[in-house]
Amino acid sequence: MPSFIGTACALIGAVDIAAGVFPRFRASRVHALAEVLPGTLGPLSAALSLSIGVLLLLLAHGLKRRKRRAWRAAVLLLPLGAAAQFVWRHSVLGALLSVALLVLLHHHRDQFAALPDPRSRWRALANFVVLGAASLTLGLVVVSAHPRRVVGDPSLADRLEHVLLGLLGVEGPVAYTHGVDWTVGYSLGALGMLTALTTIYLALRPEHPASLLTEDDETRLRALLERHGGRDSLGHFALRHDKGVVFSPSGKAAVCYRVVSGVMLASGDPIGDVEAWPGAIERFMDEARAHSWTPAVMGCSETGGQVWTRETGLDALELGDEAVIDVADFSLSGRAMRNVRQMVKRIERNGYTTRVRRVRDLDADELARVREAAAAWRGTDTERGFSMALGRIGAPGDGDAVIATAHRTDPGDDADSPYGDLKAMIHFVPWGPDGMSLELMRRDRAADPGMNELLIVAALQAAPELRIRRVSLNFAMFRSTLARGERLGAGPVLRLWRGLLLFLSRWFQIESLYKFNDKFQPRWEPRFVVYRTGRDLPRIGLAAMQAEGFLTLALPRPFARRRPARAPRPCLHTVPARSHREHEVSAA
């Protein structure tokens, strides 16, 4: 029923807008339908029709998602529509229809109980821009919808000026006959007032912040990771401070998530005891239902995908593969490693040296220099990373992380660099007691190409001394498709799919990440996306791109609201993560 009501609202809204804009529409074959909709006669009814139509379109999505606030707004609008029918048009049938819809909403009120989404003040500006642009476009249609009643031949500039002034309630340069001036004026004024009122409402309403990791949550998660952190290479990334968390009733398992555009996005496998995973997953799904969020999991393992699908009835789709290297099997010898071996030797001959240490072994000055360099060498203005990102270096509790740095002892270069002889770095987070997972790669743009290969090889060679047996590298999306599509005998569908991925690699570097990982001869571990229905996949994909930082729907920097740092949890310099490494891979 909510889906039906939402669709009905959208359709009625579209008809209301058409009835208020186009004079011929009110005399067309659908005139009988328009007669029973709020506001379709005279200047005031045209303005009211536009306003209610726009509002119904805005409410339709919220009603489909069972949002309580959308239900309340619809319950408020329907009596107004009924009053408009009776007062302005004396339409008893239209008033009864509005009352009938009101009764229907009241009867199904229990189905509209979803809580609000996370929100912030910047949505007021977003509403002003989006609704303002829509009002401007719709206003141009209104001004141009009466060609036979226009005095003279006003230019596009005159029409645009008339719309802009009309949105502010001021008479413009375009003149009409037969009283059309009143219809156009009321319609433009209603659009301008609607834009202003909704923006003011969004600016003044209380914020509903996203769930963030508290100190108690982090303490409990670290305890779970200490006992079960070796199960999933993505486990340590659950400690990002911008994630929320739900625990199982026993407290032995947890699912960390972030809400992006109505999608409740988890990453990796649940944290903790596998036997307690179902309890945490159930809490996750309960939270999604309470807010009418779309549940999704990005990058879970095959075991995690099996548990998710079994416990929830969701479906799973292979997303890509994670490159994992067993340290005992790694060697630079052999024809397969020839390119990496030659590159590393060439860089070493150019005077570069490497150091691999636990983060806790860096002194305060060197740690500060590493953080500053990581921030300065970031390739994009937007912080990227979510599922395979920690977003910090050397925070309290992260002392077991491993950092590999490249140095060049050239006095001339050192004098010009604020970071001394530091030329590149890679940062690994713990993966249980005997593993580490690659978190970021950064290098000075003036450094020689191949810094990433040099540091990965150095980290793998130093791993035995650090008691590291396995290392997780980058995640390669659609790796199997790229690998099979380039083989002899690949079918036309597979080749077409591979060609599309190569085309997309111009922007997202899908192929370059796969090729870079494949240099080190890893074993590939499949990763999956868990979703509810196929219709949700485009929305989940957009939410994932927003979470990873590839799509930014936020205020520009000059208008961005500064939020005070939360004490007493110092994060110092935030740094991007695996997804940020794409520009580094191409440079290498």
Side-chain angles (χ1 to χ4, degrees):
M1 184 57 67
S3 179
F4 169 77
I5 293 176
T7 302
C9 280
L11 292 175
I12 292 175
V15 173
D16 271 356
I17 291 174
V21 172
F22 302 105
R24 293 182 180 180
F25 178 83
R26 296 193 293 273
S28 66
R29 295 181 179 180
V30 294
H31 176 70
L33 175 62
E35 282 293 316
V36 296
L37 296 177
T40 55
L41 184 64
L44 289 175
S45 62
L48 187 60
S49 179
L50 279 177
S51 301
I52 291 182
V54 172
L55 289 174
L56 288 178
L57 285 176
L58 295 175
L59 290 174
H61 183 62
L63 290 173
K64 288 183 178 181
R65 295 183 59 203
R66 306 170 184 265
K67 291 296 184 181
R68 188 67 176 178
R69 291 182 181 270
W71 179 87
R72 290 173 179 171
V75 168
L76 179 64
L77 282 176
L78 284 173
L80 294 177
Q85 293 288 340
F86 186 77
V87 174
W88 297 112
R89 302 182 59 253
H90 308 290
S91 174
V92 177
L93 181 59
L96 290 177
L97 181 59
S98 297
V99 172
L101 291 174
L102 181 64
V103 171
L104 187 63
L105 280 173
H106 181 74
H107 180 71
H108 295 281
R109 63 186 180 278
D110 293 339
Q111 298 184 30
F112 298 89
L115 300 175
D117 290 345
R119 58 175 181 255
S120 57
R121 303 290 188 198
W122 75 268
R123 290 196 176 184
L125 179 59
N127 175 84
F128 177 78
V129 173
V130 174
L131 194 55
S135 298
L136 181 62
T137 303
L138 196 56
L140 284 173
V141 176
V142 169
V143 171
S144 305
H146 309 272
R148 297 182 180 180
R149 300 289 187 264
V150 178
V151 177
D153 186 19
S155 64
L156 178 60
D158 292 333
R159 296 173 189 266
L160 183 60
E161 181 183 355
H162 192 87
V163 172
L164 293 174
L165 293 175
L167 293 176
L168 299 175
V170 180
E171 184 70 23
V174 181
Y176 299 89
T177 61
H178 297 84
V180 175
D181 303 75
W182 294 97
T183 302
V184 173
Y186 279 131
S187 298
L188 294 177
L191 289 174
M193 183 178 296
L194 184 63
T195 302
L197 291 179
T198 54
T199 301
I200 292 172
Y201 166 73
L202 292 174
L204 297 181
R205 69 175 180 173
E207 292 190 56
H208 185 72
S211 298
L212 299 176
L213 210 63
T214 65
E215 292 183 25
D216 180 64
D217 292 337
E218 183 174 346
T219 301
R220 296 174 66 184
L221 285 174
R222 288 188 182 276
L224 293 177
L225 287 172
E226 186 176 353
R227 294 192 294 270
H228 307 282
R231 188 176 300 278
D232 184 15
S233 64
L234 307 187
H236 200 83
F237 299 118
L239 298 176
R240 283 178 60 99
H241 291 162
D242 60 355
K243 289 184 176 181
V245 61
V246 289
F247 289 91
S248 65
S250 65
K252 295 182 179 180
V255 175
C256 293
Y257 67 91
R258 182 177 169 189
V259 178
V260 182
S261 298
V263 177
M264 191 176 184
L265 203 60
S267 59
D269 293 343
I271 307 299
D273 189 353
V274 176
E275 298 297 327
W277 283 8
I281 291 173
E282 183 179 1
R283 288 283 180 87
F284 176 88
M285 296 300 293
D286 289 343
E287 190 77 5
R289 280 189 291 270
H291 293 82
S292 192
W293 291 330
T294 300
V297 185
M298 298 294 296
C300 66
S301 68
E302 188 169 0
T303 300
Q306 290 173 349
V307 177
W308 273 100
T309 55
R310 184 185 69 235
E311 297 296 327
T312 64
L314 302 179
D315 205 351
L317 179 68
E318 186 173 341
L319 184 62
D321 296 271
E322 178 186 11
V324 178
I325 297 178
D326 295 312
V327 173
D329 299 332
F330 177 77
S331 174
L332 283 177
S333 61
R335 183 175 181 82
M337 297 297 294
R338 178 182 178 183
N339 290 337
V340 175
R341 182 173 64 251
Q342 290 178 344
M343 179 173 288
V344 169
K345 289 183 178 180
R346 176 180 59 81
I347 296 173
E348 290 176 342
R349 287 195 299 269
N350 288 343
Y352 289 91
T353 60
T354 59
R355 300 180 65 186
V356 182
R357 294 154 289 170
R358 299 281 185 183
V359 171
R360 62 171 173 262
D361 296 330
L362 274 68
D363 59 46
D365 292 339
E366 186 174 8
L367 181 58
R369 187 164 60 250
V370 165
R371 287 170 173 153
E372 292 172 359
W377 294 341
R378 188 175 68 237
T380 60
D381 292 334
T382 303
E383 291 286 355
R384 292 180 178 173
F386 166 68
S387 57
M388 298 179 180
L390 188 61
R392 59 184 185 265
I393 295 178
D398 294 334
D400 287 337
V402 175
I403 187 164
T405 55
H407 307 263
R408 186 174 184 180
T409 55
D410 187 334
D413 290 346
D414 296 349
D416 297 334
S417 173
Y419 316 113
D421 63 353
L422 181 64
K423 301 302 177 184
M425 71 185 74
I426 59 176
H427 183 238
F428 298 87
V429 298
W431 175 13
D434 60 354
M436 59 184 185
S437 185
L438 183 56
E439 200 259 340
L440 70 83
M441 300 188 297
R442 295 288 169 76
R443 72 178 184 90
D444 188 342
R445 289 290 182 264
D448 292 351
M451 290 291 102
N452 296 328
E453 287 88 341
L454 173 69
L455 290 175
I456 288 177
V457 169
L460 292 170
Q461 291 175 340
E465 298 180 4
L466 299 173
R467 298 181 181 180
I468 300 296
R469 296 191 302 108
R470 51 187 180 167
V471 177
S472 169
L473 297 181
N474 292 294
F475 172 76
M477 292 185 63
F478 309 113
R479 195 276 315 175
S480 59
T481 300
L482 292 171
R484 292 197 302 266
E486 64 184 356
R487 293 176 183 171
L488 182 66
V493 176
L494 189 59
R495 289 183 180 274
L496 180 62
W497 178 223
R498 179 176 179 271
L500 176 61
L501 293 178
L502 294 180
F503 175 75
L504 295 176
S505 295
R506 298 180 180 180
W507 295 276
F508 301 107
Q509 299 184 358
I510 300 172
E511 184 191 28
S512 60
L513 281 174
Y514 158 56
K515 295 294 186 182
F516 178 81
N517 293 336
D518 203 45
K519 291 180 182 180
F520 302 96
Q521 302 298 304
R523 58 180 170 89
W524 296 99
E525 296 289 342
R527 290 280 175 172
F528 299 84
V529 55
V530 177
Y531 59 98
R532 187 169 50 190
T533 65
R535 297 191 304 271
D536 292 337
L537 284 176
R539 186 179 182 187
I540 293 171
L542 289 175
M545 293 181 69
Q546 287 179 248
E548 295 289 353
F550 291 108
L551 288 179
T552 304
L553 303 179
L555 289 178
R557 280 190 173 184
F559 303 98
R561 182 184 178 189
R562 295 184 178 181
R563 297 181 180 273
R566 292 185 300 153
R569 304 179 64 194
C571 294
L572 299 176
H573 296 277
T574 58
V575 294
R578 292 192 180 192
S579 54
H580 299 219
R581 297 196 291 259
E582 294 185 2
H583 63 274
E584 299 289 353
V585 171
S586 61

